[in-house]
Amino acid sequence: MSLIFQPSANIARLKESATLAVAAKARALKAAGLDIIDLGAGEPDFDTPAFIREAATAAITAGATRYTATEGILPLREAIAADANRLLAHGPPITAAEVVVSSGSKQSLYNACVCCFGPGDEVLIPSPAWTSYYEMVELARAVSVPVFGEEANDLKVTAAQLAAAATPRTKGLMLNSPSNPTGAVYTQDELSAILTLAAERGWWVLADEIYLRIAYEGGARSALEVATTRDNLIVINGVAKAYAMTGWRIGWTIAPVAVSRAMTAFQSHTTSNAAAVSQHAALAALGRPQEADEAVHHMVREFQRRRDAVMAVLSAYPTVRYVHPAGAFYLYINVAGFRGAADAGAAFAAAVLEEHQVAVVPGSAFLTPDWIRASYATSESVAVAGFTRIARCLTGA
Ligand code: GLU
């Protein structure tokens, strides 16, 4: 008997990741010989620093080829705790017992969603937000509640807006600064107001800080620098963005011990430990802060140069509006009204790809269809060429 696949109730409403879909499409067009400028991918274009690659090679030679503890090797968890303690402003030092290493911050976010949220729970998502937050919350069978920021506030959401969207079923919120997709950075006061509200209401805060080190003009504050309690705080981070290690797949959570135990148990049934060799590579990144800081500062300076270059391009097109890019490596550009389309972002993304060979992500992926996201994590000349084409497509110049 032939079986016709009917998606289970678990994934009946699941949509493929739009960010990864754009990246795959750009790769396919390039492979077909088209000269595509790919501003879709949210991925540093640098090589992983040499000392990290060398540490990984040495680890393989030394036999790091077997299972590790599900929650990760102890020296890495200790190095992550030590790194986080550099930021910590209140409370007892973070210990390795609060750290769970996973196969990427995406998995850590998902572990946290599954373990903290369940059927009927509502989760506030300051929006626009990274496409996978909505899906992860729904995969945990909770309800995602987008809360939209104002353009005048760089699309950031205030504590008052979150309070207004809350109900007795609110169980937590996702926090992401610097923000993907907008590049906006929450100030210390903004973070403090949100964290205080969450602590008062007993909400979980899932603080995704994957872009924390990629911030300009005074940097970005971690929730660890601001929170007065860690009882309701789960900080998610990883090596992918700051250390140009996307393919190594190493992320982690810093969470109360009971939550960390639950996430370890969950992960023990899904993926077990993250790749052993990748954990040793991450150990080099976190355990050798001097070399790592030098590499990170070099990359961040380079991102800033490219950001300034593309802002200079856009300054010649004063009608083009975008969120001030204070961190990460994205520009979030308003394309409302583009050729009269209802989904202006999708129409613009299709047009700029077809007519100007530039790949960008439509804002509908982040629940804001009047916008598009373009990444400047590419060489300065390619970024300048790409943003020039974007501006021409948008203004008809
Ligand atoms: N976080 C990156 C992005 O938004 C990587 C792709 C993904 O996993 O979504 O483009």
Side-chain angles (χ1 to χ4, degrees):
M1 188 185 115
S2 68
L3 186 61
I4 306 210
F5 174 62
Q6 290 289 354
S8 73
N10 294 333
I11 60 156
R13 289 164 30 152
L14 184 75
K15 291 188 292 297
E16 185 190 2
S17 162
T19 47
L20 295 185
V22 169
K25 186 167 182 190
R27 260 200 303 273
L29 291 172
K30 275 186 191 169
L34 275 122
D35 191 10
I36 299 293
I37 295 185
D38 182 8
L39 305 182
E43 176 169 34
D45 57 320
F46 301 104
D47 284 335
T48 300
F51 79 95
I52 297 174
R53 286 184 275 132
E54 281 154 21
T57 309
I60 295 181
T61 308
T65 59
R66 296 174 181 270
Y67 291 139
T68 72
T70 297
E71 65 274 29
I73 56 174
L74 183 60
L76 175 57
R77 290 187 295 118
E78 285 173 342
I80 291 166
D83 182 62
N85 281 325
R86 293 203 279 180
L87 299 170
L88 194 65
H90 304 274
I94 295 159
T95 68
E98 293 159 80
V99 179
V100 179
V101 175
S102 77
S103 303
S105 62
K106 194 179 251 180
Q107 185 183 15
S108 294
L109 278 157
Y110 183 59
N111 286 350
C113 284
V114 167
C115 293
C116 294
F117 308 133
D121 292 338
E122 293 179 0
V123 181
L124 304 176
I125 306 187
S127 297
W130 181 48
T131 187
S132 294
Y133 292 166
Y134 307 101
E135 299 289 346
M136 288 179 184
V137 166
E138 301 280 334
L139 283 170
R141 291 184 284 169
V143 179
S144 62
V145 180
V147 183
F148 292 94
E150 303 280 343
E151 188 174 349
N153 193 30
D154 280 333
L155 301 179
K156 290 185 285 185
V157 167
T158 63
Q161 287 170 319
L162 292 170
T167 76
R169 288 180 300 284
T170 302
K171 195 75 190 287
L173 66 99
M174 315 291 280
L175 199 55
N176 177 220
S177 174
S179 158
N180 174 8
T182 66
V185 172
Y186 283 73
T187 65
Q188 170 134 359
D189 287 348
E190 289 166 339
L191 281 182
S192 174
I194 292 171
L195 290 167
T196 302
L197 172 73
E200 279 168 8
R201 302 283 179 100
W203 298 339
W204 291 111
V205 177
L206 274 54
D208 175 359
E209 302 192 342
I210 193 71
Y211 296 97
L212 188 71
R213 298 198 64 183
I214 306 173
Y216 321 107
E217 297 133 7
R221 301 279 77 76
S222 165
L224 293 170
E225 292 173 80
V226 181
T228 50
T229 171
R230 300 207 303 275
D231 289 353
N232 64 329
L233 181 62
I234 301 174
V235 174
I236 296 99
N237 210 329
V239 290
K241 302 287 161 46
Y243 304 96
M245 292 177 70
T246 47
W248 299 82
R249 309 310 304 136
I250 293 290
W252 58 80
T253 42
I254 297 171
V257 172
V259 181
S260 296
R261 285 207 188 108
M263 290 190 293
T264 302
F266 178 63
Q267 189 169 299
S268 77
H269 291 295
T270 53
T271 56
S272 305
N273 60 275
V277 63
S278 295
Q279 292 190 57
H280 283 275
L283 176 58
L286 274 289
R288 289 158 62 175
Q290 223 170 330
E291 286 156 279
D293 283 354
E294 205 176 297
V296 172
H297 292 154
H298 166 74
M299 292 189 273
V300 173
R301 267 198 306 275
E302 193 56 30
F303 285 136
Q304 181 159 9
R305 244 170 25 84
R306 298 163 183 185
R307 180 200 73 151
D308 293 348
V310 300
M311 286 171 75
V313 166
L314 296 184
S315 67
Y317 303 86
T319 56
V320 176
R321 300 197 323 257
Y322 58 91
V323 173
H324 178 69
F329 36 62
Y330 306 111
L331 245 71
Y332 211 50
I333 301 174
N334 190 306
V335 297
F338 181 73
R339 296 184 186 168
D343 186 341
F348 181 82
V352 80
L353 183 59
E354 195 155 306
E355 298 161 23
H356 299 266
Q357 292 74 50
V358 179
V360 300
V361 182
S364 52
F366 317 105
L367 298 197
T368 40
D370 281 344
W371 298 75
I372 57 117
R373 188 192 80 177
S375 161
Y376 50 88
T378 183
S379 74
E380 185 176 328
S381 60
V382 171
V384 164
F387 280 85
T388 304
R389 293 187 202 179
I390 287 173
R392 287 203 185 125
C393 183
L394 188 54
T395 59

